[in-house]
């Protein structure tokens, strides 16, 4: 950045410049070569701020015309000074134009020492959370995955056991650099009926633009006061989930200034979450670990003399708010889909359009807009969410529709408060009789549902109230909720729910009561007790009372996992006004997962069986695995029988093709994959034992941990002419190779990269004597090749 320079002008000229610019002090020069007095002089100076070394050297210019020192905006900001936006010349900013800043230029020491007020300095940024940068995901290799689930059942009918048939659920995916194609269908496999198609969708994700494009079947976007629908068409939407490291909700600004070098402690709701050293001057805490809801951030500064300065910042954080400047959107064009899961291709005859928009205007205000329409229907509305100090959130929305010549309206008001000791939600929504949306307007009437439009219509009245009191000191929690609805078909409900939990060490007591005041006698009470028994085994018991009937039950279960070889089970029995019993066993193999169950309900016996897994073709190889529902990775090791680990946990062993599919990875997140070198062949050469997989959604990442197994390596034992082990440190050259190999203990030297079976070597001892030896290379598969002891003779 700089080179040392001598005197730029005479000391008298410098004194004149100091008189003209009172915030400049110049230290007299030492002996230095003279420079032209009429030329601007570039300087490279070590920078000090408030007598603190920054460890930086910055570029400056001493102007000959007026003796002023200048620098660029980027240089000044990098060393820690603020530059007013009003200073237009970004390349030559006079230092005496910086407000709150004075400086002293020491020509002899080639330094510049700034004295700056706190407001004139860039804050020291303290990273409260280690937000690891997410590697750019690599487009997946070309591949095909077929997920399947086969379900069969049988019961004990009047004539004996009766097989009920087999149902299949299938999903096909084709992925590559072009994106992802998905198609799913379900149907009976034993009666010749036509399967029902579920979704057929093409998706392309663009993490660099935080956007996703979809064509085919999709679900439209919306908000709490809208009703998304299934459509067939195209969709373009914002996808914040493509960047898991991006914080979308606004965070409180935690800034301050230290009068002296200090230690900073950050407390969030009285829990210390950060401790860091800060220099003198302003500071800023980046990405504080804020929890959802209301809280208080307390910063304690303690200097070397033990003096403390405490500042507090109350906040209210919520994912319902967008950080200032962030925009969320979704736009769809297509045809409304009806009777999903029943008919394969039932779409409305008229095209429909839907669009949703959300933007954070500032830290306390996020606005929304939504519009949708089709033949005979137009709807538009908007809303906003804002904070009430640090107490809670208020949101409001309103919409107007015009359908079939009738107008209608909707409004919604909601309030939420999440305090450490109390959580409250209040919500009310009203619609007029003429209000329609795409969900109701495109509902198709069928013989079974002649009044489908009213059945799927927007509820006319919704009132919701809930409160939760976590009593942390006693280990208990109480929740109360009330919901009142009046539907479009004028059916009504008024449901109250009361819940209670209490922990006694490992024991947990839970109770709940539900009542619908619109239906006489519709009260249900449930009381239960749960206790973990270790080894993933949990036991529970409870009593249910509903509509005059009481039933008690006991249950024990062992939670399995998706890892190969994992086993789980559940047994349950109930007795009272009714009785039943069931036993379920689950097993995870490396190629599929299985579940069998036996049931007895009021003396009627039945049995079920389930097998689910996936068949895939990726990277030219075929795999049979458990279902691949999320992202996954193809780990190519190039050797059979090697254990693969995900986040230090074994997940499988490579097959005959030297590869393994690792399921259940997080998309767009760095998943650490490793191999256990203990399982590698002894002649394997390992370049790396771990790597990172960052896959796309529902597609494969590729992890290359291939090892070289054809190393043509040999452990050679050399002796001198008298039969003694060749001296340690002797250097061995193999004819035809440039690499040198060093002799270790007992005359052994490890040679690799041999190019032929007939090997000749020259050894040079530490005293300069040389000798020759030759042998024929041979190796059994998977074993360490050895040769010798072999006499190394001079002159051979």
């Amino acid at each position: 950045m700089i080179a040392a320079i001598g005197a730029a002008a005479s000391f008298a000229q410098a004194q004149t410049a100091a008189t003209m610019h009172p915030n400049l002090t110049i230290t007299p020069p030492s002996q230095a070569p003279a420079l032209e007095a009429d030329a601007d002089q570039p300087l490279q100076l070590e920078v000090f701020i408030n007598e603190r070394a920054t460890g930086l050297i910055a570029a400056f210019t001493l102007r000959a015309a007026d003796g002023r020192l200048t620098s660029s905006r980027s240089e000044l900001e990098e060393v820690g000074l603020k530059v007013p936006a009003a200073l237009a010349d970004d390349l030559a900013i006079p230092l005496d134009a910086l407000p709150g800043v004075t400086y002293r230029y020491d020509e002899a020491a080639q330094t510049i020492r700034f004295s700056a007020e706190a407001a004139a300095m860039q804050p020291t940024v303290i990273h409260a959370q280690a937000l690891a940068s997410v590697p750019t995901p690599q487009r997946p290799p070309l591949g095909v995955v077929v997920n399947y689930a086969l379900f069969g059942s049988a019961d004990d009918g009047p004539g004996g056991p009766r097989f009920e048939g087999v149902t299949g659920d299938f999903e096909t995916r084709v992925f590559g650099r072009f994106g992802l194609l998905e198609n799913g269908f379900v149907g009976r496999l034993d009666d010749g009926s036509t399967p029902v198609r579920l979704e057929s969708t093409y998706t392309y994700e663009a993490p660099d633009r935080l956007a996703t494009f979809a064509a085919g079947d999709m679900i439209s976007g919306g908000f709490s006061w809208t009703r998304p629908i299934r459509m067939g068409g195209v969709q373009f939407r914002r996808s914040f989930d493509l960047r898991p490291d991006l914080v979308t909700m606004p965070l409180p600004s935690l800034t301050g200034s230290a009068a002296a070098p200090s230690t900073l402690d950050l407390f969030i709701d009285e829990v210390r979450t950060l401790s860091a050293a800060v220099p003198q001057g302003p500071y800023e805490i980046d990405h504080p670990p804020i929890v959802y809801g209301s809280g208080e951030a307390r910063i304690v500064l303690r200097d070397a003399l033990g003096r403390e300065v405490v500042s507090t910042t109350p906040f209210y954080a919520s994912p319902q708010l967008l950080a200032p400047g962030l925009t969320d959107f979704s736009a769809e064009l297509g045809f409304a889909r009806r009777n999903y899961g029943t008919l394969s291709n039932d779409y409305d005859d008229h095209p429909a359009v839907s669009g949703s928009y959300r933007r954070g205007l500032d830290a306390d205000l996020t606005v929304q807009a939504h519009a949708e329409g089709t033949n005979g229907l137009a709807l538009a509305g908007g809303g906003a969410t804002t904070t009430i100090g640090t107490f809670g959130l208020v949101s409001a929305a309103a919409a107007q529709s015009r359908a079939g010549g009738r107008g209608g309206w909707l409004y919604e008001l909601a309030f939420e408060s999440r305090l450490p000791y109390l959580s409250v939600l209040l919500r009310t929504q009203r619609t007029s009789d003429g209000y329609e949306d795409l969900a109701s307007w495109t509902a198709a009437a069928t013989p079974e549902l002649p009044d489908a439009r009213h059945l799927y219509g927007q509820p006319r009245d919704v009132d919701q109230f809930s409160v939760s009191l976590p009593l942390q000191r006693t280990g208990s929690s109480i929740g109360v909720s009330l919901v009142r609805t009046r539907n479009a078909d004028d059916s009504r409900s008024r449901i109250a729910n009361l819940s209670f939990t209490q922990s006694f060490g490992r024991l947990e007591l839970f109770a709940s009561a539900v009542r619908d005041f619109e239906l006489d006698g519709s009260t249900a009470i449930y009381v239960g007790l749960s206790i973990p028994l270790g080894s993933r085994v949990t036991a529970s018991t409870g009593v249910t009372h509903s509509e005059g009937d009481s039933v008690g039950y006991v249950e024990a279960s062992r939670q399995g996992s998706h890892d190969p070889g994992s086993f789980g089970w559940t047994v349950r029995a109930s007795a009272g006004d009714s009785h039943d019993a069931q036993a379920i066993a689950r097993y995870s193999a490396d190629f599929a997962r299985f579940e069998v169950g036996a049931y007895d309900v009021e003396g009627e016996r039945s049995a079920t069986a389930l097998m689910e897994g996936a068949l895939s073709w990726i990277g030219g190889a075929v795999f049979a695995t458990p279902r691949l529902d999320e992202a996954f990775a193809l780990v190519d090791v190039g050797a059979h029988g090697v254990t693969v680990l995900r986040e230090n946990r074994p997940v499988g062993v490579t097959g005959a093709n030297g590869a393994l599919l690792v399921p259940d990875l997080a998309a767009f997140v760095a998943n650490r994959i490793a191999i256990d070198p203990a399982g590698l062949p002894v002649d394997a050469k390992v370049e790396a034992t771990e790597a990172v997989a960052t896959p796309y959604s529902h597609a494969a990442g590729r992890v290359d941990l291939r090892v070289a197994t054809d190393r043509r390596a040999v452990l050679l034992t050399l002796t001198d002419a008298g039969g003694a082990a060749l001296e340690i440190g002797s250097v061995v050259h193999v004819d035809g190779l440039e690499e040198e190999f060093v002799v270790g203990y007992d005359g052994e030297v490890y040679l690799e990269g041999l190019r032929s079976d007939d090997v000749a070597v020259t050894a040079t001892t530490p005293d300069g004597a040389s000798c020759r030896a030759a042998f024929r290379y041979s190796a059994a598969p998977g074993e360490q090749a050895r040769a010798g002891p072999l006499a190394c003779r001079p002159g051979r």
Side-chain angles (χ1 to χ4, degrees):
M1 298 245 285
I2 75 176
I5 100 171
S10 68
F11 184 48
Q13 290 174 318
Q15 285 180 314
T16 302
T19 302
M20 296 170 59
H21 308 291
N23 63 342
L24 166 63
T25 302
I26 297 183
T27 300
S30 60
Q31 293 183 356
L35 297 174
E36 295 183 15
D38 60 348
D40 291 345
Q41 301 301 326
L43 305 173
Q44 301 284 328
L45 306 178
E46 184 180 1
V47 179
F48 293 77
I49 297 180
N50 295 334
E51 301 305 321
R52 177 178 60 87
T54 64
L56 300 173
I57 295 176
F60 298 86
T61 299
L62 181 60
R63 297 197 311 209
D66 54 11
R68 302 175 81 180
L69 276 174
T70 66
S71 186
S72 68
R73 180 183 296 272
S74 61
E75 293 281 288
L76 293 172
E77 290 180 344
E78 184 176 352
V79 299
L81 296 175
K82 284 185 179 179
V83 181
L87 300 178
D89 190 351
D90 288 345
L91 298 179
I93 294 175
L95 302 189
D96 53 17
L98 299 176
V101 176
T102 60
Y103 59 92
R104 185 175 75 253
Y105 163 43
D106 188 337
E107 182 182 353
Q110 290 294 283
T111 62
I112 186 167
R113 296 177 180 271
F114 291 97
S115 295
E117 299 174 358
M121 298 171 60
Q122 295 279 5
T124 299
V125 178
I126 304 168
H127 298 287
Q129 299 184 68
L131 297 177
S133 58
V134 177
T136 301
Q138 295 182 344
R139 287 289 172 185
L142 181 63
V144 179
V145 170
V146 179
N147 282 319
Y148 64 87
L150 304 176
F151 178 82
S153 62
D155 61 19
D156 189 8
R162 179 179 57 190
F163 180 61
E164 294 291 335
V166 177
T167 301
D169 181 1
F170 299 90
E171 178 199 20
T172 302
R173 297 188 216 153
V174 181
F175 49 80
R177 299 185 63 86
F178 57 85
L180 172 68
L181 284 167
E182 297 176 281
N183 182 64
F185 61 92
V186 62
R188 292 287 297 269
L189 304 182
D190 55 347
D191 61 359
S193 61
T194 303
V196 175
R197 185 181 63 84
L198 300 177
E199 290 120 345
S200 302
T201 308
Y202 165 75
T203 305
Y204 186 87
E205 297 171 315
D208 54 336
R209 297 187 177 184
L210 289 175
T212 298
F213 171 79
D217 294 297
M218 90 286 290
I219 298 176
S220 62
F223 307 110
S224 64
W225 48 275
T226 67
R227 298 196 300 167
I229 66 168
R230 293 187 178 274
M231 299 177 66
V234 294
Q235 180 185 60
F236 184 64
R237 60 182 174 87
R238 173 74 73 213
S239 299
F240 289 123
D241 54 348
L242 304 185
R243 281 280 307 277
D245 60 319
L246 183 66
V247 179
T248 61
M249 69 178 182
L251 299 178
S253 177
L254 301 181
T255 60
S257 182
S262 304
T263 298
L264 179 149
D265 290 316
L266 172 64
F267 295 84
I268 303 294
D269 292 335
E270 302 305 323
V271 177
R272 188 170 70 173
T273 59
L274 171 68
S275 183
V278 295
Q280 177 187 359
Y283 62 83
E284 176 184 339
I285 300 178
D286 183 38
H287 292 103
I290 300 302
V291 295
Y292 182 12
S294 177
E296 182 181 77
R298 182 163 59 93
I299 298 173
V300 179
L301 283 176
R302 185 179 298 105
D303 64 16
L305 300 178
R307 294 173 297 190
E308 287 189 355
V309 177
V310 180
S311 60
T312 59
T313 302
F315 63 85
Y316 195 93
S318 172
Q320 294 187 48
L321 296 171
L322 277 181
L326 281 186
T327 299
D328 191 11
F329 64 86
S330 178
E332 298 84 25
L333 174 64
F335 299 85
R337 184 167 182 181
R338 304 172 301 202
N339 295 303
Y340 173 80
T342 304
L343 300 177
S344 297
N345 300 293
D346 186 12
Y347 295 90
D348 192 66
D349 295 332
H350 303 285
V353 63
S354 175
S356 303
Y357 177 86
R358 188 167 66 115
R359 183 173 177 82
L361 295 185
D362 60 39
D364 299 315
L365 179 62
T366 296
V367 296
Q368 305 170 348
H370 179 80
E372 59 187 50
T374 186
N375 182 52
L377 169 70
L379 182 151
T385 301
T386 187
T387 58
I388 305 176
T390 61
F391 182 67
L393 282 180
V394 170
S395 60
Q400 183 78 29
S401 73
R402 188 74 179 175
R406 298 180 62 196
W409 49 261
L410 170 148
Y411 72 80
E412 180 182 271
L413 293 173
F415 166 78
E416 76 158 37
S417 179
R418 289 176 177 260
L419 305 174
Y421 52 86
L422 177 69
S423 294
V424 177
L425 172 64
L426 291 168
R427 174 175 171 259
T428 184
Q429 185 185 91
R430 294 290 185 274
T431 62
S432 66
D433 290 342
Y435 185 82
E436 301 280 1
D437 59 6
L438 282 175
S440 62
W441 192 252
T442 61
T446 65
E448 294 80 13
L449 298 173
D451 196 18
R453 182 164 294 172
H454 275 145
L455 179 65
Y456 295 109
Q458 181 86 34
R460 297 307 180 215
D461 302 333
V462 177
D463 297 309
Q464 181 180 359
F465 165 76
S466 66
V467 59
S468 175
L469 295 93
L471 307 177
Q472 298 177 355
R473 292 185 178 180
T474 63
S476 60
S477 176
I478 300 174
V480 178
S481 67
L482 301 169
V483 179
R484 188 188 73 85
T485 62
R486 181 173 67 91
N487 298 315
D489 61 357
D490 209 37
S491 60
R492 302 166 186 261
S493 65
R494 288 185 297 153
I495 299 175
N497 176 270
L498 174 65
S499 62
F500 172 79
T501 61
Q502 174 70 58
S503 296
F504 303 95
R506 300 175 64 195
L507 285 170
E508 183 175 6
L509 173 68
F510 41 92
S512 65
V514 180
R515 180 176 178 83
D516 189 341
F517 293 96
E518 292 290 338
L519 300 176
D520 294 336
S522 60
T523 300
I525 300 174
Y526 172 67
V527 179
L529 184 67
S530 173
I531 179 172
L533 301 178
S535 300
R536 295 186 176 182
V537 177
T538 301
S540 62
T541 184
V543 177
T544 301
H545 179 81
S546 178
E547 298 183 358
D549 295 337
S550 298
V551 177
Y553 80 92
V554 291
E555 179 180 303
S557 63
R558 183 184 189 277
Q559 181 182 5
S561 71
H562 292 171
D563 297 334
S566 174
F567 178 74
W569 48 264
T570 299
V571 291
R572 176 187 174 100
S574 65
D577 295 311
S578 61
H579 67 272
D580 65 74
Q582 66 180 41
I584 301 172
R586 308 174 189 89
Y587 178 74
S588 294
D590 57 358
F591 63 93
R593 297 189 182 108
F594 301 88
E595 178 181 303
V596 294
Y599 309 86
D600 185 323
V601 180
E602 299 288 340
E604 296 184 3
R605 299 181 177 87
S606 62
T608 61
L610 171 68
M611 174 183 178
E612 56 180 8
L615 299 173
S616 55
W617 177 88
I618 305 170
V622 177
F623 300 87
T625 64
R627 286 182 65 92
L628 299 172
D629 289 317
E630 303 299 328
F632 54 100
L634 170 63
V635 182
D636 188 359
V637 181
H640 169 69
V642 179
T643 300
V644 177
L645 304 96
R646 179 184 68 229
E647 307 297 342
N648 295 325
R649 186 168 62 88
V651 291
V653 177
T654 56
N657 57 5
L660 177 73
L661 286 185
V662 178
D664 302 325
L665 300 185
F668 304 103
V669 171
N671 301 269
R672 193 164 67 89
I673 306 296
I675 58 174
D676 183 0
L680 293 172
V682 294
D683 59 345
K685 182 177 182 180
V686 183
E687 296 293 340
T689 59
E690 69 175 53
V692 168
T694 311
Y696 277 72
S697 302
H698 298 154
R702 183 158 194 155
V703 177
D704 188 355
L705 291 174
R706 285 176 291 183
V707 299
T709 56
D710 186 17
R711 301 174 62 189
R712 296 190 61 80
V714 62
L715 184 62
L716 172 64
T717 302
L718 291 174
T719 67
D720 59 18
L726 200 64
E727 190 175 353
I728 293 176
S730 300
V731 177
V732 175
H733 288 86
V734 178
D735 290 359
L737 298 181
E738 296 181 0
E739 187 175 357
E740 294 182 347
F741 305 92
V742 180
V743 176
Y745 291 105
D746 300 325
E748 292 184 338
V749 57
Y750 190 73
L751 309 178
E752 58 182 341
L754 305 180
R755 296 179 180 176
S756 66
D757 291 342
D758 295 316
V759 184
V761 301
T762 300
T764 304
T765 61
D767 60 5
S770 62
C771 60
R772 296 271 295 172
F775 64 93
R776 185 165 181 80
Y777 171 81
S778 62
E783 295 183 2
Q784 175 63 64
R786 295 178 178 271
L790 191 65
C792 188
R793 302 182 183 279
R796 282 192 60 183

